[in-house]
Amino acid sequence: MRVLGIETSCDETGVAIYDSEQGLLGDTLYSQVKMHAEYGGVVPELASRDHVRKLIPLIRETFQQAGLEHGDVDAIAYTAGPGLIGALMVGASTGRALALAWDKPAIAVHHMEGHLLAPMLEDTPPAFPFVALLVSGGHTQLVRVDGIGRYELLGESLDDAAGEAFDKAAKMLGLDYPGGPEIARLAELGDVTRFKFPRPMTDRPGLDMSFSGLKTFTLNTANDHRDEQGQIDDKTIADIACAFEQAVVDTLAIKCRRALQQTGMKQLVIAGGVSANQRLRDRLEEMVKKERAGLYYARPRFCTDNGAMIAFAGCQRLQAGQTSDLTILAQPRWPMDTLESI
């Protein structure tokens, strides 16, 4: 089965064509980062308008990249949520319109299920069952995965997602948007021993997490080291970035280890934008080695929002006989444990 995937949940416009036998045939992506950087974060109305401008040209480019004629697919998958409602509507209405025009079935895909299944695009994919850490700008969740649509929420952030905390901490330090990559870059230059940040909620049982306190700790630490002009020297910024990143990574690793131990699983999957963080990957590699478990993740390109993960996730459900009706479905909030299993 050949599926066109469309992703427009936030500030990336992603289009891909996935073939169940041949793999990924075409994959294009446009990021709005430069546009939103001027405002220090994503502006929903601007994001929606840019998706309108970029989506059709990207669809044409993807078919050309795949060497296919327009409409030469078996079905269309589009992100229906969660995400920004205006941005979601652009992809959902386009996907549904193309399905009607080409007389093809369509399916609404859950954005986080797309992230969850993205590591299966790799040469050595994980096999069910496994524990998944979904960690992005909008979500931080530990999920038991027994199959597609068979999800049990084990724990989640009670406030900010880890990716959101990265961006806000970066803003406190005067760094550019998006903040996560900036924090990671500066952390490489920092002294990990200078500041000791807390590891929130690791001293109590359970798998829930919290990152809002780390933001406050970051702000207080930064304010304590400002000069009379309110500036912080570059070395101190790098040291704070290093301490912050290490605290987030340690917290996630501790919770992942507990999840593996509590479930008895021997496979850990990490997915979402923050899963591209190299320090997180290295820390989890150390942890799973001690637990005699395996770690799986997607290549960096497929960690952030992209059309390939939507095409792949949609293909799995379409092959199981699932389709969506003519309704243009867009849900800014959509619990993943409500999805139908296959």
Side-chain angles (χ1 to χ4, degrees), residues 116 130-134 141-145 267-271:
L116 175 67
F130 55 78
V131 169
L133 171 65
L134 299 177
Q141 299 177 328
L142 278 164
V143 182
R144 176 183 174 128
V145 181
Q267 293 186 109
L268 175 66
V269 167
I270 56 172

Side-chain angles (χ1 to χ4, degrees), residues 134-141 155-170 172 200-201 208-218 244 248 251-252 274:
L134 299 177
V135 57
S136 66
H139 298 79
T140 300
Q141 299 177 328
E156 62 184 337
S157 176
L158 302 179
D159 39 60
D160 290 356
E164 181 183 4
F166 265 102
D167 286 341
K168 290 181 177 177
M172 294 171 186
M201 295 186 69
D208 286 333
M209 294 159 273
S210 170
F211 297 102
S212 64
L214 276 178
K215 293 188 310 180
T216 303
F217 199 94
T218 300
F244 174 84
V248 173
T251 299
L252 293 173
V274 182

Side-chain angles (χ1 to χ4, degrees), residues 4 13 17 36 40 49-50 53 65 101 103 114 122 135 138 149-150 163 167 195 203 264 280 286 291-292 320 331:
L4 171 67
T13 313
I17 297 174
H36 295 294
R49 294 180 182 182
D50 218 35
R53 286 191 289 265
Q65 187 182 105
D103 192 25
E122 302 303 317
V135 57
R150 298 170 61 194
D167 286 341
F195 298 111
D203 58 349
L280 176 62
E286 295 174 3
E291 295 295 322
R292 296 184 179 181
Q331 299 180 216

Side-chain angles (χ1 to χ4, degrees), residues 325-341:
D325 59 25
L326 295 177
T327 304
I328 297 176
L329 182 64
Q331 299 180 216
R333 297 186 182 276
W334 189 4
M336 198 166 68
D337 56 9
T338 64
L339 295 177
E340 183 179 353
S341 64

Side-chain angles (χ1 to χ4, degrees), residues 26-187:
D27 175 35
T28 59
L29 183 70
Y30 175 79
S31 175
Q32 303 173 3
V33 165
K34 289 183 179 179
M35 177 179 66
H36 295 294
E38 181 180 350
Y39 304 95
V42 177
V43 181
E45 179 61 25
L46 295 181
S48 303
R49 294 180 182 182
D50 218 35
H51 286 311
V52 171
R53 286 191 289 265
K54 302 296 184 181
L55 184 52
I56 295 302
L58 282 179
I59 290 173
R60 290 174 177 153
E61 182 180 343
T62 305
F63 273 99
Q64 183 178 24
Q65 187 182 105
L68 301 173
E69 297 295 326
H70 292 168
D72 192 12
V73 292
D74 299 307
I76 296 170
Y78 61 88
T79 302
L84 303 175
I85 184 62
L88 290 169
M89 285 296 294
V90 176
S93 58
T94 302
R96 172 49 65 194
L98 290 176
L100 285 170
W102 295 338
D103 192 25
K104 307 291 184 180
I107 190 161
V109 174
H110 192 288
H111 177 74
M112 294 310 295
E113 182 170 75
H115 277 304
L116 175 67
L117 300 179
M120 294 185 177
L121 289 164
E122 302 303 317
D123 293 336
T124 55
F128 300 116
F130 55 78
V131 169
L133 171 65
L134 299 177
V135 57
S136 66
H139 298 79
T140 300
Q141 299 177 328
L142 278 164
V143 182
R144 176 183 174 128
V145 181
D146 289 301
I148 296 177
R150 298 170 61 194
Y151 309 131
E152 178 189 352
L153 181 64
L154 302 175
E156 62 184 337
S157 176
L158 302 179
D159 39 60
D160 290 356
E164 181 183 4
F166 265 102
D167 286 341
K168 290 181 177 177
K171 195 169 185 178
M172 294 171 186
L173 296 175
L175 304 179
D176 292 335
Y177 174 86
E182 285 295 297
I183 289 277
R185 179 182 65 81
L186 287 175

Side-chain angles (χ1 to χ4, degrees), residues 270-329:
I270 56 172
V274 182
S275 69
N277 181 282
Q278 192 57 52
R279 182 165 291 186
L280 176 62
R281 292 186 176 193
D282 292 344
R283 179 74 171 81
L284 290 177
E285 288 282 8
E286 295 174 3
M287 184 274 290
V288 297
K289 186 176 181 180
K290 293 178 181 178
E291 295 295 322
R292 296 184 179 181
L295 179 65
Y296 300 86
Y297 44 76
R299 71 198 79 167
R301 177 180 178 85
F302 295 148
C303 291
T304 55
D305 296 350
N306 63 89
M309 67 181 192
I310 302 304
F312 179 82
C315 184
Q316 308 314 301
R317 290 189 171 275
L318 287 158
Q319 285 185 305
Q322 296 182 10
T323 59
S324 299
D325 59 25
L326 295 177
T327 304
I328 297 176
L329 182 64

